[in-house]
Amino acid sequence: MSIICGLPILECVYCLACARWAWKRCLHSAGHDSETWGLATPEEFEPVPRLCRYILAVYEDDLRNPLWEPPEGYGINPDWIIMKRSYKDTNGRAPPYLLYIDHNHADIVLAIRGLNLAKESDYAVLLDNKLGKRKLDGGYVHNGLLKAAGCVLNAECDALKELVEKYPNYTVTFTGHSLGSGVAALLTMVVLQNREKLANINRNRIRCYAIAPARCMSLNLAVRYADVINSIVLQDDFLPRTATPLEDIFKSLFCLPCILCLRCIRDTCISEEKKLKDPRRLYAPGRLYHIVERKPFRCGRFPPVVKTAVPVDGRFEHIVLSCNAISDHAIIWIEKEARRALELMLQKDHGMEIPPKQRMERQETLAREHSEEYNAALQRAVTLAVPHAFSPSQYGTFDEKKDPENSSIGSSTGSSTKSKTRDNWDELIERLFEKDESGHISLRKPLAAD
């Protein structure tokens, strides 16, 4: 057509699309993703720097004689380490991890390290996925990460159960970085669906902190588990923003420029409504904490500020064109900036001289606000017609009965809370009404047992 008309029409259209993409991407900064979010408090952000150091400790071969210990130390007592697994112990089916009892903070921690660029087994876990390959709890998850989570739980189930029973007042925290963050997030989901494996532990005792999170679950699951799972993102980190499926991350980073340009143009031209309605599309899990410490068109780093929210739309959808997109993914930088941010929060709190009673009241207020924000996110997902999303009932819910198919690790379930509630309503109606032979429905006579 270009030859017939004598005009390079297709070339012009391609150049215009590239110019539109470059304009949008160059003006888009990391601060735009969280500009409408609220500020995090030191109480909710306090575990993050400490858990980052625990993850760093997994990289050490001998914690009694560490080789890469940071200036402030790992903060780990080697005598409190229950076990430490290497690639040899996991047979490459899961990244290395350690199980640690933090008596100072009344916490049982399972910390998982990130991707090892020299290990083929880590690539196998990361690339074991296709869109819509694995369904879980009414949504879609990353297949390889779910298998790794099931491997970890099967190996450490007995040890975790024993610790939960021995320390009934301790919380259980799953944390990981990069590849390990996806394993930790899906491990949390599996544990919540199989709490009988951990002595029927209460949901409020379980939490997860995904550092530099991988996109490992569909949007309805990411919002539904936001009361338990927390994701921490440093400024321009590329991994939570990778718009393509997780198996195409390395293609996006190292492919030919022309293919990369075509991918970016396609990502820019697809509307966000279409993305939200794709049930197979994966997202960063849970509540998001965004550490912002650089401003657009400014040089150098600024005092870090932590923003938090449970977003539905605008959930780190676009990669930021930044020379720090990869360096912000490093666990060392995340720990450093998270520690600086927490110190600034604590200094501000000490400057305000908040009495202990008011601190307790603020914690209760914070928990209430998080609950309200969580319910608002569920309702927002329903408003945007996110597949398999449902809003919380205004009148409470019936007790959910566990489906036998859900008890197996990594099993695929299509039932939702809405369908279970409907079944309970049908059972209640059958108890209240009866139908005679002619088909007439009448109120059932009360029985003494009722």
Side-chain angles (χ1 to χ4, degrees):
M1 182 175 179
S2 298
I3 298 176
I4 296 175
C5 299
L7 296 173
I9 298 177
L10 296 178
E11 289 80 355
C12 290
V13 171
Y14 183 81
C15 291
L16 288 174
C18 289
R20 176 179 178 269
W21 169 81
W23 177 258
K24 291 183 66 176
R25 289 299 173 91
C26 289
L27 291 182
H28 180 78
S29 66
H32 293 156
D33 294 322
S34 58
E35 58 185 351
T36 60
W37 299 4
L39 293 174
T41 62
E43 289 81 7
E44 57 182 313
F45 195 72
E46 180 273 332
V48 175
R50 171 165 48 87
L51 294 175
C52 288
R53 291 191 289 272
Y54 293 172
I55 296 172
L56 284 170
V58 183
Y59 292 79
E60 292 281 2
D61 294 329
D62 184 5
L63 284 171
R64 297 186 183 275
N65 300 291
L67 299 178
W68 302 288
E69 187 176 17
E72 65 281 358
Y74 293 118
I76 281 185
N77 185 341
D79 296 329
W80 294 349
I81 296 177
I82 303 301
M83 61 188 64
K84 189 172 182 291
R85 305 296 189 190
S86 63
Y87 283 106
K88 184 178 180 180
D89 299 320
T90 63
N91 295 321
R93 293 181 295 175
Y97 58 89
L98 64 82
L99 183 59
Y100 177 69
I101 301 182
D102 188 353
H103 292 292
N104 295 330
H105 299 90
D107 196 11
I108 302 169
V109 182
L110 195 151
I112 309 173
R113 64 159 287 168
L115 176 70
N116 187 342
L117 296 176
K119 283 290 182 180
E120 295 182 1
S121 58
D122 281 3
Y123 292 102
V125 172
L126 183 65
L127 302 178
D128 181 16
N129 188 61
K130 294 292 182 183
L131 282 177
K133 185 174 182 178
R134 177 57 69 93
K135 194 172 183 181
L136 179 68
D137 195 20
Y140 291 90
V141 297
H142 189 284
N143 184 62
L145 297 177
L146 180 63
K147 287 182 178 178
C151 175
V152 173
L153 182 59
N154 285 333
E156 312 304 339
C157 178
D158 294 336
L160 286 171
K161 182 178 180 180
E162 182 180 350
L163 293 175
V164 167
E165 292 176 340
K166 185 176 181 180
Y167 304 102
N169 296 324
Y170 282 28
T171 56
V172 177
T173 301
F174 301 104
T175 185
H177 169 252
S178 188
L179 177 67
S181 68
V183 177
L186 295 184
L187 176 60
T188 304
M189 283 186 57
V190 174
V191 168
L192 288 173
Q193 292 185 355
N194 300 270
R195 287 184 291 171
E196 69 279 358
K197 292 181 176 292
L198 267 66
N200 292 317
I201 183 174
N202 293 330
R203 184 186 179 97
N204 56 9
R205 290 179 59 192
I206 301 175
R207 59 181 182 173
C208 171
Y209 287 88
I211 315 296
R215 297 166 75 102
C216 59
M217 61 181 66
S218 55
L219 185 57
N220 64 319
L221 297 178
V223 176
R224 193 189 310 169
Y225 286 89
D227 61 326
V228 178
I229 301 177
N230 306 280
S231 292
I232 291 82
V233 180
L234 175 60
Q235 189 76 23
D236 302 332
D237 189 358
F238 77 95
L239 188 59
R241 294 181 170 88
T242 302
T244 53
L246 202 58
E247 64 267 20
D248 293 336
I249 289 177
F250 296 101
K251 297 179 184 177
S252 299
L253 291 177
F254 304 113
C255 68
L256 296 175
C258 57
I259 300 177
L260 178 60
C261 185
L262 288 173
R263 283 187 173 276
C264 292
I265 291 176
R266 184 190 66 176
D267 180 51
T268 303
C269 294
I270 296 176
S271 64
E272 188 169 358
E273 292 183 0
K274 188 174 181 180
K275 295 177 183 178
L276 290 175
K277 292 182 180 179
D278 185 358
R280 305 167 302 169
R281 187 176 176 84
L282 303 181
Y283 291 82
R287 169 177 286 275
L288 298 177
Y289 290 88
H290 190 201
I291 306 173
V292 181
E293 38 87 40
R294 288 189 301 273
K295 298 181 181 179
F297 308 109
R298 305 280 185 89
C299 296
R301 296 176 181 265
F302 291 81
V305 176
V306 182
K307 300 289 194 70
T308 181
V310 186
V312 180
D313 43 347
R315 193 181 180 90
F316 290 140
E317 281 299 317
H318 300 291
I319 296 178
V320 177
L321 292 181
S322 168
C323 58
N324 300 291
I326 296 179
S327 62
D328 284 345
H329 184 67
I331 183 66
I332 297 177
W333 276 109
I334 297 174
E335 188 276 334
K336 181 179 179 180
E337 296 301 327
R339 179 163 40 85
R340 286 183 58 202
L342 180 60
E343 290 174 355
L344 291 175
M345 292 181 194
L346 294 175
Q347 289 177 8
K348 185 178 180 180
D349 266 16
H350 291 326
M352 296 172 62
E353 296 182 355
I354 301 177
K357 183 178 180 180
Q358 291 187 8
R359 289 180 183 273
M360 293 292 294
E361 293 176 352
R362 188 174 68 173
Q363 291 180 3
E364 296 176 358
T365 303
L366 177 64
R368 184 168 58 253
E369 290 176 352
H370 277 197
S371 178
E372 293 173 355
E373 189 175 7
Y374 170 67
N375 291 330
L378 292 174
Q379 184 61 46
R380 176 65 174 167
V382 174
T383 304
L384 294 175
V386 174
H388 311 299
F390 62 89
S391 59
S393 173
Q394 297 179 354
Y395 306 101
T397 57
F398 292 98
D399 293 333
E400 298 181 12
K401 295 182 180 179
K402 180 175 284 292
D403 191 346
E405 297 180 358
N406 291 347
S407 59
S408 60
I409 296 176
S411 64
S412 175
T413 62
S415 61
S416 64
T417 302
K418 183 183 290 185
S419 62
K420 293 177 182 178
T421 304
R422 189 187 306 115
D423 294 339
N424 283 293
W425 272 112
D426 293 339
E427 181 182 352
L428 180 61
I429 291 174
E430 290 179 359
R431 292 182 59 189
L432 294 177
F433 298 93
E434 61 181 356
K435 183 186 295 184
D436 57 19
E437 297 179 355
S438 60
H440 295 289
I441 299 176
S442 59
L443 186 66
R444 188 184 296 274
K445 295 180 180 180
L447 300 177
D450 294 337

